[in-house]
Structure formats: structure tokens, C-alpha cells
Amino acid sequence: MEKLNNISVEELLNRINNDLKNTLSEKRYKHSLGVMKKAEELASIYGIDTNVAKLTGLAHDIGKEFSDEEMLKYAKENNIEVDNVEKVNVGLLHAKIGADICKKKYNFTLEMQNAIKYHTVGNENMDLLAKIIFVADKTEEGRNYKKDEKNEQLQKVRELSKIDINKALLYEIDSSLIYTIQKHKLVHTDSILTRNKLLKDGVNI
Ligand SMILES: [Fe+2]
Ligand SMILES: [Fe+2]
């Protein structure tokens, strides 16, 4: 992709970069740059358009710093469905909201919108771009955890991501499901469906 909405990718990256710099916290802004970089790296490994991956990675958390009230208001005003898990964990809505903002503000393609929509809990219809954004979000270079066990898992997903994106995705989903269950938190059914789809497709670790 050279242009989107008749402006060059370079110009659009600059525009999104400025918007994020002005609205996100320093930490989230750096994370966004990290995801852009990782998404570009993975896109070149797996042979998809690096510009598409960069734009999507950069913008993926654009809706992340809304308060719960703002998210629910945005969802209502923009006809975004709030499912039963999102009603409890309102923050999950940042994925659907981010996709909607990018559609309206930057004219992102449906594929790019879906990659943003699926980046938090996954979706059984994820394509290669969506898988790359999901894994880039979890493995960008700025990520690290206080617990050794989580850092070991992170290293494993980083290694797998360079060899087989499906294995990286399955390993990440398994680890986060185990963690969510141990914390006695709600599991989103889309994570289970994504996992089942990978297993049915023959992915193994
Ligand atoms: Fe996110
Ligand atoms: Fe993120």
C-alpha cells in the first residue's frame, strides 16, 4: 500500500503519530510505536504489506485511554454492540472503538479495522494481518513483566513469532487463558473459539 484515502502512507503515519502523541499517555504512546515496529518486522517475515501492518499497529490502541463511561457512551452513539463480557470488562471495548475511530478518521480498510477489533481477545476469523497485530501487541520490545513466569512466556511467544505465527498465537492465547482462569476472571468466548480454530487447523506447539 502506497496511499490510503489519497494521502501517502508516510503522511498518514505522521498524522496518526501526532494524534496519538497528543492524546495518549507517554507509556501507551511508546507501546504504540513498539507495536508498529514489531508489526512491520512480522509482516516482512510473513510476506504481507508492511505499510498496512505499520498503520494498523500504530493505531491499534487509539481508543484505549477512554474512561469506562466514555467507552460506553461512544459505543451507544456509534451503534457498537456491547457483549456480556464487555459489559463487565468495559475496557475490552477499546478494540471495537479503536476500529471504529480508524474507519471514520483515517478510512482504514475493513481488514485493518478487523485486525484492531480482534487484537485483545482474538476471533476465529482472524487473517494473517490480525494475527500479526495480536502477536505484535503482546511481544513488542517495550513489554516486560514483574513475574519471571510471565517473562518466560513472553520470550517463548517472541521466539515462536519468528518461526510460526499460528504457534505464537496459540501459545499466547493458552498462557493468557490459564492466567485469566487462575485469577478467576471472565474468559471471552472469542478467545476459546480462536484457540479451537487453531487446534482444528492442526496447529500444535
Ligand atoms: Fe489494546
Ligand atoms: Fe496494545
Side-chain angles (χ1 to χ4, degrees), residues 28 31-32 35 57 60-61 64 94 119-120 137-138 143:
R28 183 89 43 210
H31 165 69
S32 304
V35 176
H60 81 287
D61 268 344
K64 178 87 179 178
H94 83 274
H119 87 266
T120 308
D137 180 37
K138 314 299 180 290
R143 280 245 190 226

Side-chain angles (χ1 to χ4, degrees), residues 41-68:
E41 185 190 319
L42 294 175
S44 56
I45 293 176
Y46 295 100
I48 66 163
D49 192 315
T50 52
N51 282 336
V52 168
K54 280 172 78 178
L55 287 165
T56 313
L58 180 64
H60 81 287
D61 268 344
I62 198 162
K64 178 87 179 178
E65 290 186 353
F66 289 18
S67 67
D68 282 6

